Amino acid sequence: MTDNKWSILLNAVAALGFAISLFYYDPFFYTRMMACLFALSEVVILLQKGRIKKGVYIVYSMIILVLMVIANQYDQDRVYDWQTILLCISVFMLLSTTYRTLYHEPRTSPSS
């Protein structure tokens, strides 16, 4: 399978896992709900690989990152800075990986 198909499969499995956890685990409900929506939206974006413009994906990335932070802060009684920072780093890494999958053009060696 190609990298794109593996990404779609892994995001679908992650979305399913987050969706199931919504019914069996109480803490961090909104964070898990946002993670589920994030995984589902990544599947849709990867399926629409050629149709999504770079600007649209960058705006989508900013919205997802802000909503994940807001959901995480809403779920916590106190602010745990390290958890929010780790969440931001994790989401940013996933978004940048998808960005590279969608828009990265492989380098070609110059012919001599």
Side-chain angles (χ1 to χ4, degrees), residues 8-9 47 51 57 60 63-64 70 75 85 96 104 106 108-109:
I8 291 170
L9 180 67
L47 287 173
R51 299 180 189 169
Y57 188 77
Y60 157 80
I63 291 170
I64 287 293
I70 290 171
D75 279 336
I85 290 169
S96 63
H104 177 71
T108 57
S109 60

Side-chain angles (χ1 to χ4, degrees), residues 54 99-108:
K54 284 184 183 181
Y99 180 84
R100 285 184 56 91
T101 301
L102 292 173
Y103 304 111
H104 177 71
E105 299 194 11
R107 294 182 182 173
T108 57

Side-chain angles (χ1 to χ4, degrees), residues 2 6 19 25-27 32-33 38 42 50 52-53 60 65 72 93 99 101 105:
T2 63
W6 276 110
Y25 187 67
D26 288 336
R32 287 180 289 113
M33 186 172 61
F38 172 50
E42 288 286 307
I52 306 292
K53 306 270 188 229
Y60 157 80
L65 192 57
N72 187 35
M93 284 179 21
Y99 180 84
T101 301
E105 299 194 11

Side-chain angles (χ1 to χ4, degrees), residues 72-80:
N72 187 35
Q73 293 301 318
Y74 186 76
D75 279 336
Q76 298 179 10
D77 293 335
R78 298 183 326 180
V79 176
Y80 294 108

